[in-house]
């Protein structure tokens, strides 16, 4: 919701940053004239959209560049996406729409995601059909920002909704699970795929965890596992945007586009666990102020 108090007890800066504060106040003024349940529902959607800012901009760039790009232009589309993503990241920091702690998560996830991209494209899991100068082993480096979008959303959502967690497992236990999931993304090409065992592991570790979040003033809660599944569904939709625009393609999509397999929901769910654990390395999960269950 808000950041820590500034020096000398100054008022904390709101999550939108100082530059958008007038717009935020205008929106809150408009919502105040609506029935409370409707206003809270709309505010929840607006805060989710704000948490998704980096991801929304990246999806808009995928769609926009696909519609206007001319292969004869002197810069490749993938390279333009990399430069644009970098400028967006700098702007979000400059206008205080994102914190340096959130940037740390994005950078770590950028590296983790790029390493996996290099391996997966080498194994033929998916491909990038267009040319690029800014790339490693055939993988255009803007792809790391696509992973960074997930980390950005999680870190921002935790701050914007002032998320608190009950029954959160020890850090070493979550780190061990995340490492096992990440390893399975590589090893299942050679050994047996352990994703069903990993699904069970996530359930055993997180089934008691509740996320307490505040949209307006009243704290609400949701099981962490349900939140992870719903987020995976949104990521599956975003991945379809990526393939519709031809930014990356799965085997069988080169001739004519078809929806991404629903089996990818499981992959995104597991990837979200990795994302969340990475976020908690920077922003440790905090319990509610009042830890009594309701």
């Amino acid at each position: 919701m808000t950041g820590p108090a500034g020096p000398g007890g100054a008022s904390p800066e709101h999550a939108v940053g100082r530059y958008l504060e007038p717009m935020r106040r205008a929106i809150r003024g408009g919502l105040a004239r609506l029935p409370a349940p409707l206003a809270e529902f709309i505010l929840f959607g607006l805060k989710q959209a704000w948490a998704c800012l980096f991801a929304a901009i990246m999806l808009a760039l995928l769609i926009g560049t696909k519609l206007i790009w001319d292969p004869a232009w002197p810069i490749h589309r993938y390279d333009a996406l990399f430069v644009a993503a970098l400028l967006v990241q700098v702007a979000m920091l400059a206008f205080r729409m994102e914190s340096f702690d959130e940037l740390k998560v994005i950078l770590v996830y950028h590296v983790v995601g790029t390493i996996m991209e290099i391996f997966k494209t080498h194994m033929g899991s998916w491909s990038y059909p267009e040319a690029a100068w800014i790339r490693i082993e055939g993988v255009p480096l803007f792809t790391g920002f696509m992973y960074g979008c997930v980390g950005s959303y999680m870190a921002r959502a935790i701050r914007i909704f002032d998320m608190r967690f009950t029954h959160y497992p020890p850090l070493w236990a979550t780190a061990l699970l995340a490492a096992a999931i990440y390893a399975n993304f590589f090893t299942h090409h050679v050994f047996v795929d352990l994703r069903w065992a990993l699904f069970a592991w996530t359930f055993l570790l997180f089934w008691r965890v509740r996320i307490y979040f505040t949209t307006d003033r009243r704290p609400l809660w949701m099981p962490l596992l349900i939140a992870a599944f719903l987020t995976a569904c949104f990521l599956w939709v975003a991945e379809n945007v990526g393939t519709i625009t031809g930014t990356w393609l799965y085997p069988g999509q080169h001739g004519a586009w078809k929806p991404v397999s629903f089996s990818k929901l499981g992959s995104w769910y597991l990837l979200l666990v990795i994302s969340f654990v990475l976020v908690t390395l920077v922003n440790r999960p905090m319990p509610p102020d009042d830890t009594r269950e309701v």
Side-chain angles (χ1 to χ4, degrees):
M1 298 290 288
T2 56
S11 299
E13 186 174 298
H14 193 273
V16 299
R18 67 176 66 173
Y19 301 100
L20 296 180
E21 179 65 14
M23 182 182 71
R24 184 190 75 86
R25 291 183 179 275
I27 291 173
R28 291 305 298 253
L31 291 176
R33 293 190 286 271
L34 298 176
L38 177 60
E40 186 167 12
F41 178 77
I42 294 174
L43 185 60
F44 177 82
L46 290 174
K47 286 191 171 185
Q48 283 287 352
W50 186 243
C52 291
L53 180 62
F54 193 14
I57 292 173
M58 287 303 299
L59 288 178
L61 287 170
L62 295 186
I63 296 170
T65 55
K66 179 63 177 179
L67 292 175
I68 69 170
W69 211 259
D70 187 337
W73 288 354
I75 181 174
H76 297 303
R77 174 176 171 240
Y78 289 164
D79 296 332
L81 285 171
F82 174 83
V83 173
L86 193 59
L87 291 176
V88 169
Q89 183 63 79
V90 171
M92 289 181 69
L93 285 172
F95 289 99
R96 298 188 182 181
M97 297 178 186
E98 200 161 62
S99 70
F100 278 99
D101 281 345
E102 290 160 358
L103 177 61
K104 294 175 189 175
V105 175
I106 293 171
L107 291 176
V108 171
Y109 210 12
H110 196 296
V111 174
V112 169
T114 300
I115 292 172
M116 190 167 71
E117 284 285 322
I118 293 171
F119 178 81
K120 288 290 190 178
T121 54
H122 177 73
M123 299 302 295
S125 297
W126 56 79
S127 62
Y128 293 92
E130 301 178 31
W133 289 108
I134 307 173
R135 62 182 181 176
I136 297 177
E137 295 294 326
V139 175
L141 292 190
F142 83 89
T143 59
F145 285 104
M146 303 306 297
Y147 287 91
C149 288
V150 181
S152 172
Y153 164 73
M154 288 192 168
R156 287 167 60 80
I158 289 173
R159 173 166 57 92
I160 291 168
F161 286 95
D162 190 24
M163 290 184 179
R164 307 299 178 94
F165 304 85
T166 58
H167 304 298
Y168 195 82
L171 183 62
W172 67 265
T174 60
L176 185 61
L177 171 60
I181 292 172
Y182 190 64
N184 189 68
F185 280 124
F186 295 85
T187 59
H188 83 85
H189 289 279
V190 181
F191 304 107
V192 63
D193 190 351
L194 298 176
R195 70 174 56 204
W196 288 106
L198 294 170
F199 289 148
W201 192 352
T202 64
F203 180 81
L204 290 173
L205 200 60
F206 294 116
W207 74 274
R208 296 180 64 206
V209 180
R210 288 182 175 184
I211 303 174
Y212 283 81
F213 61 95
T214 304
T215 300
D216 191 6
R217 293 178 176 83
R218 181 170 57 96
L220 304 171
W221 68 270
M222 176 183 291
L224 185 146
L225 292 174
I226 292 179
F229 174 74
L230 292 175
T231 306
C233 291
F234 282 107
L235 290 173
W236 179 82
V237 173
E239 190 168 23
N240 276 282
V241 172
T243 57
I244 288 174
T245 58
T247 308
W248 61 86
L249 297 172
Y250 286 97
Q253 289 184 322
H254 290 267
W257 180 84
K258 58 183 180 181
V260 176
S261 170
F262 280 110
S263 65
K264 294 298 179 182
L265 277 174
S267 299
W268 276 113
Y269 169 83
L270 292 174
L271 198 62
L272 282 168
V273 174
I274 298 176
S275 307
F276 188 70
V277 172
L278 288 175
V279 170
T280 61
L281 295 178
V282 176
N283 299 320
R284 298 296 176 88
M286 299 293 294
D289 294 330
D290 181 358
T291 57
R292 292 173 296 176
E293 298 289 343
V294 295

